[in-house]
Amino acid sequence: MDTRASKERKFTETMEKWIMYFMYLLFGGLFFLISIQGSLSEGLILLPIALVSIPLTKWGMRWQNERYIRSAQNQDDLEVVVNRLNEIEKRISELEDK
């Protein structure tokens, strides 16, 4: 059974993968263009930016995705509770009718 949490997990993992591919492609392309020009001083400026932004982006996405997954899990849990309460209400109404 596909729950909201499992659907959210699949979606967020896919999005995280594609965003990280984009980040690697972006910085790899920038380093490639810098190496073609032959001036490595720009590469020395871009290297710390890449070393900070890539892990920070990955950490931020994982943190946010975990929040989305927990929210979806809470919705799944609430649905179970609502179904159980509906069953209890039916049983109570049956007992009152007797």
Side-chain angles (χ1 to χ4, degrees), residues 6-18:
S6 64
K7 290 178 185 176
E8 189 70 31
R9 183 173 289 113
K10 288 177 190 176
F11 177 75
T12 56
E13 286 174 355
T14 303
M15 288 303 297
E16 180 180 344
K17 179 174 62 171
W18 284 105

Side-chain angles (χ1 to χ4, degrees), residues 20-33 46 53:
M20 290 311 297
Y21 284 156
F22 174 75
M23 292 288 288
Y24 295 137
L25 182 66
L26 175 71
F27 283 108
L30 289 173
F31 283 120
F32 177 72
L33 290 174
L46 188 60
S53 63

Side-chain angles (χ1 to χ4, degrees), residues 1 19 30 34 36 45 76:
M1 180 169 127
I19 290 171
L30 289 173
I34 289 171
I36 287 176
I45 295 170
D76 291 338

Side-chain angles (χ1 to χ4, degrees), residues 8-79:
E8 189 70 31
R9 183 173 289 113
K10 288 177 190 176
F11 177 75
T12 56
E13 286 174 355
T14 303
M15 288 303 297
E16 180 180 344
K17 179 174 62 171
W18 284 105
I19 290 171
M20 290 311 297
Y21 284 156
F22 174 75
M23 292 288 288
Y24 295 137
L25 182 66
L26 175 71
F27 283 108
L30 289 173
F31 283 120
F32 177 72
L33 290 174
I34 289 171
S35 68
I36 287 176
Q37 286 184 340
S39 60
L40 297 178
S41 61
E42 288 88 1
L44 293 175
I45 295 170
L46 188 60
L47 185 63
I49 294 170
L51 291 176
V52 170
S53 63
I54 289 175
L56 190 61
T57 301
K58 190 167 188 146
W59 173 81
M61 280 191 308
R62 285 205 176 158
W63 178 74
Q64 188 67 31
N65 291 345
E66 288 173 4
R67 291 183 62 213
Y68 290 144
I69 293 168
R70 281 194 308 267
S71 175
Q73 182 64 44
N74 288 341
Q75 290 176 357
D76 291 338
D77 293 342
L78 284 173
E79 190 173 309

